[in-house]
Amino acid sequence: MKPPLRKDKNSPAGPESKEGASKAPGARHPFARKRIGEILVEHRWLSGPQLEEGLAQAKGLLGRYLVERGHITEAQLAQALSEQFRLPYVDLKGFTAAPELFEHFPAAEAYRQNALPYGRENGTLRVVVSNPLESHKLADQLEARTGLKVELFLSTPPAVQEALERSQATSALLKDFSGDFKAGEGESEAKGSVSAANLDDQDSAVVRLINTLLLAALQKRASDIHFETYETGTVIKYRVDGLLYPATERLDARHNKAFVSRIKVMAELDIAETRVPQDGRFQLRLNGRDIDFRVSVMPSALGEDVVIRVLDKASLNEEFSQLKLEALGLAEDTLKKFRRSVREPYGMVLITGPTGSGKTTTLYAALGEINTGEEKIITIEDPVEYQLNGVVQVPVNEKKGLTFARGLRSILRHDPDKIMVGEIRDMETAQIAVQSALTGHLVFTTVHANNACDVIGRFSHMGVNLYSFVSALNCVMAQRLVRMICPKCRKKDKVDRELLTASGLSAKEYGNHPFYMGEGCAHCGGTGYRGRRAVAEFLNLTPRIRKLIVDQAPIDELQEAAVEEGMVTLRRAALEKALAGETTLKEVNRVTFVD
């Protein structure tokens, strides 16, 4: 949806402007008649002394100096420039350009010029620029190339940049650059800072494509990039909110080695070695942010496959510094019980679930709740992906002999109050963790199991004494992540009887219940989902539950007793989100089993 143009009474588009009366909105004027300082003072955005200071001190553009000094805002400067150059000012907040507009104004050029296609109507292409000094040249070039009349508008540089990213212009770039690989291209080993504005300057098509893939992954909130090698070509996919989506069309098989070689060069891996797996990492500055990438290369029948994990530490560290348990999306009753357990003076808090179910994020949120600076908190993780302020974090290094068990023993000699063990994988680590919880430490840890009750069997198979384990345990929480319906394109869904039955719901009882779905829009990348929230089942260690565990009661009996004691199963917790209109029944069926 296009936002309204902003028209001030002193703007050339306003009715009271004599100077602007001769030109319609969007007309191009290569020469300005009023000085920028005069306009800013007239609007009372700038004082006389501030203007004198700027004129005396500014070594470059006066307006840019005044913004950097904090005398005026970006918006005030843009509005003053709009009056000076007779270009209507537009507020781009929330604006998204339609994908077809980039056919007239290619994304690579839009990023390079920091300009945005704003609309097309009756043979006129509207373009928002951020630099009015060269705007008339841009308009002339676009008119000559497209045959359309070009109408210019003005906004702030950050607003244009954000609108380009919001419009998924990087996806248009990716489409343009991936088309190069229908014909042969060489490869390069260029490195450095990457932004959408300089992608087109790279010498190699391989470099351009890989860099654009990384930029687009960041824009689409992808956690991983997959390169899959087939006889018919390379398939590139993004993992977004836990699911894989194609990043490009299938690319020519002739370029498989070039793609892998480029990634190996970036991660400083052995290009000549193609028979064994290799792991590495690299860092790039993308759009002004330092982003870490973990690379795993694995030989396959037709070449080598690559997976790149995207770690935006700057963004995530900021997110985790503010992360509280409420942000996880847990049900209120489960949240209350879990919060009580993490505030106990000692014992073990155990989170279980498959890989990618958000266990580590939950533990970080729990640590954030109790991290007051008055107690020593030490973690041992494999690897340490996000830094937590006020917490000592130890990375596992099995090549050097630093395992979870050895690290945990060392941690106990550092006088900790709270300990987090990233994952319990073996009997030795399990026994030390249980002993730590029994000797006055609060231990947070995770283990792989299907549900809360299955955890008991896991520790039993590891050889841990069940009586000691039950004595140490504060709680067990099993969790999954479900995708949330995109709030921008959410609409009512017609759920048929077959889906209700497959979901374990009575068609008679829920046939008229309102369910929702996402239609797909630019905000969610056409998926209908945006973001994920945790659903969990919380096993509270009541005296009855403890006795059943020590007596080695069957899992079915233990789960039945836990439900009677108030435990909400994973399935029920997920269904509650679907019934509340936060997710879909199809998503619930994807992540949980029918009870």
Side-chain angles (χ1 to χ4, degrees):
M1 180 178 179
K2 183 163 64 179
L5 298 178
R6 171 161 181 164
K7 298 181 181 179
D8 298 317
K9 66 180 182 178
N10 293 315
S11 166
E16 298 179 17
S17 174
K18 294 180 181 179
E19 291 184 358
S22 61
K23 289 289 178 180
R28 299 198 300 275
H29 261 271
F31 305 106
R33 296 182 180 180
K34 294 179 83 173
R35 294 180 182 274
I36 192 70
E38 296 173 11
I39 298 172
L40 290 168
V41 171
E42 283 177 10
H43 283 277
R44 298 184 179 179
W45 292 330
L46 190 71
S47 66
Q50 288 173 331
L51 175 59
E52 292 176 6
E53 174 202 327
L55 292 171
Q57 300 294 331
K59 295 180 180 179
L61 296 173
L62 173 63
R64 184 50 47 197
Y65 172 83
L66 295 172
V67 170
E68 291 171 356
R69 294 287 295 175
H71 294 326
I72 60 174
T73 66
E74 289 276 9
Q76 288 169 342
L77 174 59
Q79 290 174 57
L81 288 171
S82 78
E83 183 172 338
Q84 185 184 35
F85 286 86
R86 298 187 179 92
L87 298 176
Y89 173 77
V90 62
D91 185 354
L92 290 173
K93 184 177 180 181
F95 174 75
T96 301
E100 57 268 19
L101 291 175
F102 291 103
E103 296 175 6
H104 305 294
F105 191 10
E109 186 177 358
Y111 271 116
R112 190 170 58 250
Q113 301 276 3
N114 201 35
L116 176 77
Y118 190 57
R120 180 188 172 184
E121 187 176 352
N122 299 327
T124 298
L125 178 65
R126 296 188 174 93
V127 176
V128 180
V129 297
S130 58
N131 178 13
L133 295 173
E134 301 293 329
S135 59
H136 62 288
K137 292 183 181 179
L138 171 63
D140 291 341
Q141 291 169 1
L142 286 174
E143 285 185 350
R145 188 170 67 240
T146 64
L148 299 171
K149 180 183 177 183
V150 174
E151 192 175 4
L152 295 176
F153 301 90
L154 187 69
S155 193
T156 67
V160 173
Q161 180 70 34
E162 289 171 12
L164 279 170
E165 293 178 1
R166 197 163 47 241
S167 304
Q168 299 192 18
T170 311
S171 297
L173 270 175
L174 188 54
K175 184 178 179 181
D176 292 342
F177 291 154
S178 63
D180 294 341
F181 293 92
K182 293 175 183 176
E185 285 285 350
E187 63 187 78
S188 171
E189 299 185 3
K191 285 189 178 181
S193 179
V194 179
S195 67
N198 67 14
L199 281 171
D200 204 35
D201 298 333
Q202 303 289 349
D203 293 333
S204 166
V206 173
V207 173
R208 285 202 306 268
L209 179 66
I210 299 300
N211 287 348
T212 309
L213 278 165
L214 299 177
L215 274 172
L218 203 62
Q219 179 189 314
K220 290 178 178 292
R221 304 174 296 109
S223 60
D224 303 87
I225 309 170
H226 290 240
F227 290 75
E228 299 175 358
T229 305
Y230 300 102
E231 191 172 353
T232 54
T234 298
V235 175
I236 304 173
K237 299 176 182 177
Y238 290 141
R239 186 177 293 280
V240 181
D241 290 337
L243 267 68
L244 291 172
Y245 299 95
T248 66
E249 296 179 359
R250 190 180 295 262
L251 303 181
D252 198 307
R254 292 176 298 169
H255 303 289
N256 292 351
K257 289 184 179 179
F259 299 147
V260 176
S261 295
R262 170 58 188 165
I263 295 167
K264 283 183 175 180
V265 167
M266 297 173 79
E268 298 182 351
L269 300 177
D270 186 354
I271 296 177
E273 180 57 76
T274 61
R275 297 166 296 177
V276 296
Q278 296 188 70
D279 295 309
R281 60 175 58 218
F282 63 91
Q283 187 180 82
L284 282 178
R285 190 166 184 81
L286 298 180
N287 286 344
R289 304 209 309 267
D290 289 327
I291 313 296
D292 289 335
F293 299 90
R294 288 211 319 260
V295 177
S296 178
V297 182
M298 182 177 66
S300 66
L302 296 169
E304 291 178 286
D305 285 9
V306 180
V307 174
I308 303 175
R309 169 65 57 90
V310 182
L311 296 172
D312 186 358
K313 287 190 176 183
S315 165
L316 287 166
N317 285 338
E318 181 180 348
E319 178 184 335
F320 281 125
S321 68
Q322 307 296 327
L323 184 62
K324 298 299 178 186
L325 289 173
E326 287 88 350
L328 302 176
L330 296 171
E332 188 175 345
D333 185 54
T334 301
L335 179 61
K336 191 182 298 182
K337 292 176 181 177
F338 184 61
R339 177 170 276 136
R340 186 168 60 244
S341 295
V342 303
R343 294 185 182 279
E344 296 287 349
Y346 56 84
M348 180 183 285
V349 175
L350 191 56
I351 311 293
T352 184
T355 301
S357 60
K359 300 187 297 295
T360 302
T361 301
T362 299
L363 289 182
Y364 280 164
L367 291 178
E369 290 267 327
I370 62 173
N371 185 16
T372 62
E374 297 174 344
E375 295 178 305
K376 179 128 182 185
I377 302 175
I378 307 180
T379 75
I380 179 163
E381 306 169 59
D382 183 22
V384 175
E385 293 187 355
Y386 316 112
Q387 282 76 45
L388 301 174
N389 290 328
V391 177
V392 178
Q393 294 174 273
V394 180
V396 166
N397 189 338
E398 294 191 358
K399 290 182 180 178
K400 300 293 184 181
L402 179 54
T403 61
F404 275 111
R406 186 174 178 181
L408 189 50
R409 279 201 199 91
S410 181
I411 284 172
L412 292 172
R413 295 193 287 271
H414 275 252
D415 188 30
D417 296 293
K418 321 289 184 188
I419 302 169
M420 182 184 120
V421 182
E423 183 184 343
I424 291 180
R425 299 173 179 171
D426 53 64
M427 180 178 69
E428 189 178 7
T429 306
Q431 289 176 339
I432 300 171
V434 169
Q435 195 61 35
S436 302
L438 289 171
T439 54
H441 303 91
L442 183 60
V443 179
F444 298 86
T445 189
T446 72
V447 70
H448 288 292
N450 289 328
N451 55 53
C453 295
D454 282 348
V455 169
I456 313 303
R458 286 277 294 161
F459 275 82
S460 179
H461 290 151
M462 287 182 192
V464 176
N465 181 276
L466 285 181
Y467 183 80
S468 298
F469 177 58
V470 168
S471 300
L473 205 55
N474 289 354
C475 71
V476 179
M477 189 168 78
Q479 74 174 52
R480 301 288 188 277
L481 294 177
V482 295
R483 294 180 296 167
M484 296 289 100
I485 297 171
C486 174
K488 301 286 188 181
C489 60
R490 180 175 177 264
K491 68 171 188 176
K492 280 194 174 181
D493 187 18
K494 294 179 180 178
V495 176
D496 56 33
R497 180 182 293 268
E498 185 179 346
L499 180 56
L500 287 172
T501 304
S503 304
L505 298 176
S506 166
K508 183 178 180 181
E509 184 179 353
Y510 293 98
N512 295 321
H513 186 89
F515 290 96
Y516 292 85
M517 62 171 288
E519 195 171 18
C521 64
H523 185 64
C524 61
T527 65
Y529 297 94
R530 174 88 181 189
R532 292 185 290 177
R533 290 290 181 269
V535 293
E537 64 180 25
F538 184 89
L539 179 62
N540 201 8
L541 274 293
T542 63
R544 180 186 176 190
I545 298 297
R546 291 180 190 273
K547 185 177 186 306
L548 287 171
I549 294 173
V550 172
D551 293 343
Q552 298 187 27
I555 294 296
D556 291 346
E557 185 180 339
L558 181 61
Q559 182 153 346
E560 185 178 339
V563 171
E564 290 175 5
E565 294 277 334
M567 184 182 82
V568 177
T569 65
L570 272 171
R571 177 69 183 184
R572 191 66 214 175
L575 280 174
E576 290 296 333
K577 289 200 178 292
L579 294 172
E582 298 176 22
T583 189
T584 64
L585 285 179
K586 289 180 181 178
E587 178 68 6
V588 170
N589 293 340
R590 185 182 71 85
V591 298
T592 62
F593 290 105
V594 178
D595 290 335

